[in-house]
Amino acid sequence: LKRVNDDNRVLANVLVSSGRISYDMLVVDVGSDLGVHVGDRVVYAGAGVIGTVVEAYESTSKIKLFSSPNEETRVSIGKESIPALARGKGMGNFEVILPQGVSVKVGDEVIIPGTMFVLGYVGSVENNQDQPLSKILFRSPFNTTSIATVEIVLGDSKI
């Protein structure tokens, strides 16, 4: 693979993908021997940050995707950068609860605050006039079960 570590990233092949083990978990072929640590962020195919290393062994690591059920991730939604807390629902899906009337629409981009990393795109906004809150559903821009390679950002858990 001619792995290069000059920009604090290391390329990793997925050995076991989401769906073959716990959903929204990956096992990759790099570990502490190449500088991987628990807390390192994981990036996929230019789409953005998708998860975090939760276990690092000598030559393998386990990654938990942000879309894992009940995993919470701070996000910004749309052109107005509305701050929110996204909760993973599994298989690349997320839910956000916001007050009614907040300007969020289908197709809005959802990013990790302070970055340009796209976490997903709003798929639906559910409003109930009898409730003070809206449910926003969004999903990753890719199929989490088809991830074959990722990059692990070494030593930088602040992405």
Side-chain angles (χ1 to χ4, degrees):
L1 287 174
K2 297 184 181 181
R3 292 185 169 111
V4 178
N5 189 10
D6 62 342
D7 68 347
N8 288 337
R9 292 182 186 213
V10 63
L11 180 66
N13 287 309
V14 175
L15 299 173
V16 183
S17 64
S18 180
R20 292 190 199 162
I21 57 171
S22 299
Y23 284 106
D24 298 292
M25 299 290 267
L26 306 172
V27 176
V28 296
D29 69 344
V30 297
S32 59
D33 59 340
L34 291 176
V36 175
H37 293 92
V38 170
D40 287 346
R41 296 297 177 122
V42 180
V43 177
Y44 173 63
V49 65
I50 61 166
T52 306
V53 174
V54 293
E55 296 176 25
Y57 302 100
E58 185 176 348
S59 60
T60 60
S61 298
K62 191 173 187 180
I63 296 165
K64 185 175 192 177
L65 302 181
F66 292 139
S67 60
S68 294
N70 299 317
E71 184 74 10
E72 293 184 337
T73 306
R74 297 218 174 271
V75 298
S76 292
I77 304 173
K79 292 180 181 178
E80 295 180 23
S81 298
I82 297 165
L85 188 62
R87 180 171 298 215
K89 301 304 277 181
M91 298 303 293
N93 296 292
F94 299 86
E95 174 184 82
V96 172
I97 304 297
L98 290 174
Q100 283 258 14
V102 174
S103 180
V104 173
K105 62 186 182 318
V106 171
D108 277 352
E109 193 173 65
V110 181
I111 65 169
I112 301 292
T115 74
M116 295 307 295
F117 288 127
V118 176
L119 193 57
Y121 295 93
V122 174
S124 73
V125 179
E126 298 176 7
N127 292 311
N128 181 338
Q129 299 302 334
D130 298 334
Q131 299 295 323
L133 302 174
S134 295
K135 183 189 299 187
I136 290 88
L137 301 173
F138 72 95
R139 68 173 290 105
S140 300
F142 51 85
N143 183 339
T144 59
T145 61
S146 65
I147 298 171
T149 60
V150 295
E151 291 181 312
I152 299 174
V153 182
L154 303 176
D156 188 2
S157 60
K158 294 179 182 161
I159 291 179

